């Protein structure tokens, strides 16, 4: 107590051209320099960009080229929330695990099918590439990186100061299940509609499968093909095993 702090990180903000930018909440961001003026850096953190992602713009292309170049010169890269879209655009995450906010998982998977997206995780670590889930997961990611660079004791001290659980690793408790209904399989759509109408009742999987003229195994396979989600996975999302009958909650609202 009373001692002057001695920072372990030297932090600077940079923009593409070194000029101030305005965040989507109209808050001005004043950078220290332009990204091309950065010669030697250990870690680059790509902030969240909200729900706005325009990969066709000139600025986006410049950022991607710079991130690949700086990573090639030894810098670690980390993204927060939707910043994972920018990090994935470099191609460096292809064949690797990543995470972003759970609500953007479908959009991310469509744009970056080569990335192994794990939105149940708050933080992913691929050696020199890191991702943090939602916007508040920047705290979890920061603590993770502190531990990575400076050890667990300093990370624990930081966790006590920030009142953030150092070992919180999943965002599953915050996720809302949103089913895929943008498909053309009428039998599966009818089954989904039935489940929506019956969300306060016991849903008998065998009865649903029988109503579509399929066995439970056939129904599960076709449900997966149409929606991209295993019917058993819905049961797992609820924290239950996939029995013949499950108690359904409003999954499809």
């Amino acid at each position: 107590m009373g001692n002057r702090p001695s920072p372990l990180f030297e932090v600077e903000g940079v923009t593409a051209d070194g000029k101030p930018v305005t965040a989507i909440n109209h808050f001005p961001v004043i950078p220290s320099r332009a990204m091309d003026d950065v010669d030697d850096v250990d870690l680059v953190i790509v902030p969240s960009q909200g729900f706005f992602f325009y990969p066709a713009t000139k600025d986006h292309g410049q950022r991607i080229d710079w991130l690949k170049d700086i990573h090639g010169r030894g810098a670690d890269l980390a993204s927060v929330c939707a910043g994972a879209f920018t990090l994935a655009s470099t191609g460096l995450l292809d064949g690797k695990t990543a995470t972003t906010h759970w609500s953007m998982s479908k959009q991310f998977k469509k744009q970056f099918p080569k990335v192994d997206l794990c939105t149940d995780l708050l933080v992913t670590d691929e050696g020199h590439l890191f991702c943090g889930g939602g916007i508040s997961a920047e705290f979890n990611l920061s603590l993770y990186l502190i531990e990575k660079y400076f050890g667990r004791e300093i990370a624990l001290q930081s966790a006590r100061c920030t009142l953030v659980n150092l070992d919180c690793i999943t965002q599953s408790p915050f996720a809302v299940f949103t089913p895929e209904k943008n498909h053309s399989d009428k039998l599966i759509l009818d089954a989904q509609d039935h489940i929506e109408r019956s969300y306060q009742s016991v849903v008998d999987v065998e009865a649903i499968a029988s109503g579509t003229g399929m066995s439970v195994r056939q129904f599960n396979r076709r449900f997966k093909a149409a929606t991209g989600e295993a019917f058993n996975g819905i049961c797992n999302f609820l924290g239950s095993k996939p029995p013949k009958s499950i108690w359904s909650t409003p999954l499809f609202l």
Side-chain angles (χ1 to χ4, degrees):
M1 296 293 291
N3 295 329
R4 182 178 293 275
S6 178
L8 297 174
F9 287 97
E10 239 181 83
V11 180
E12 289 188 343
V14 301
T15 58
D17 54 9
K19 297 179 181 179
V21 294
T22 303
I24 58 174
N25 60 357
H26 307 294
F27 190 84
V29 179
I30 312 299
S32 302
R33 63 176 91 181
M35 61 188 186
D36 288 332
D37 293 333
V38 178
D39 296 321
D40 185 28
V41 64
D42 296 308
L43 172 68
V44 176
I45 298 179
V46 182
S48 178
Q49 57 212 27
F51 291 90
F52 305 99
F53 180 65
Y54 306 112
T57 63
K58 179 182 177 181
D59 286 348
H60 178 76
Q62 291 174 336
R63 287 193 293 269
I64 297 309
D65 290 341
W66 180 75
L67 286 170
K68 289 192 290 187
D69 177 65
I70 205 76
H71 181 68
R73 287 189 271 147
D76 294 344
L77 304 181
S79 66
V80 177
C81 195
F85 283 74
T86 297
L87 185 53
S89 295
T90 64
L92 296 170
L93 286 174
D94 288 357
K96 297 180 173 65
T97 57
T99 190
T100 187
H101 194 280
W102 58 265
S103 66
M104 293 179 280
S105 61
K106 290 181 180 178
Q107 180 186 353
F108 188 96
K109 287 177 181 178
K110 287 180 181 177
Q111 290 189 259
F112 306 106
K114 295 180 181 179
V115 180
D116 181 14
L117 187 67
C118 302
T119 51
D120 57 322
L121 298 177
L122 278 173
V123 175
T124 57
D125 179 349
E126 281 289 354
H128 299 283
L129 300 168
F130 310 92
C131 298
I135 188 67
S136 62
E138 65 181 291
F139 294 109
N140 305 87
L141 176 62
S142 296
L143 290 173
Y144 186 88
L145 292 172
I146 289 170
E147 181 175 9
K148 188 90 173 179
Y149 285 101
F150 299 108
R152 186 164 181 83
E153 180 54 39
I154 293 178
L156 284 169
Q157 292 175 20
S158 302
R160 294 185 190 107
C161 290
T162 56
L163 304 181
V164 176
N165 183 355
L166 179 61
D167 296 314
C168 182
I169 60 172
T170 179
Q171 57 178 307
S172 296
F174 307 102
V176 175
F177 179 76
T178 305
E180 175 61 62
K181 298 185 74 176
N182 186 28
H183 59 82
S184 57
D185 193 324
K186 188 176 184 309
L187 286 176
I188 298 302
L189 285 170
D190 289 344
Q192 288 177 287
D193 289 339
H194 172 76
I195 295 170
E196 287 180 18
R197 293 192 303 270
S198 309
Y199 70 86
Q200 291 180 322
S201 306
V202 173
V203 177
D204 189 323
V205 179
E206 286 189 344
I208 294 176
S210 177
T212 61
M214 292 180 275
S215 67
V216 171
R217 186 173 181 179
Q218 289 173 320
F219 174 78
N220 284 333
R221 188 162 51 240
R222 188 156 166 178
F223 190 94
K224 168 74 172 179
T227 68
E229 298 280 351
F231 197 81
N232 290 351
I234 296 174
C235 302
N236 293 335
F237 183 87
L238 293 172
S240 61
K241 295 179 181 179
K244 292 182 179 179
S245 300
I246 65 170
W247 182 262
S248 176
T249 58
L251 294 177
F252 298 92
L253 296 181

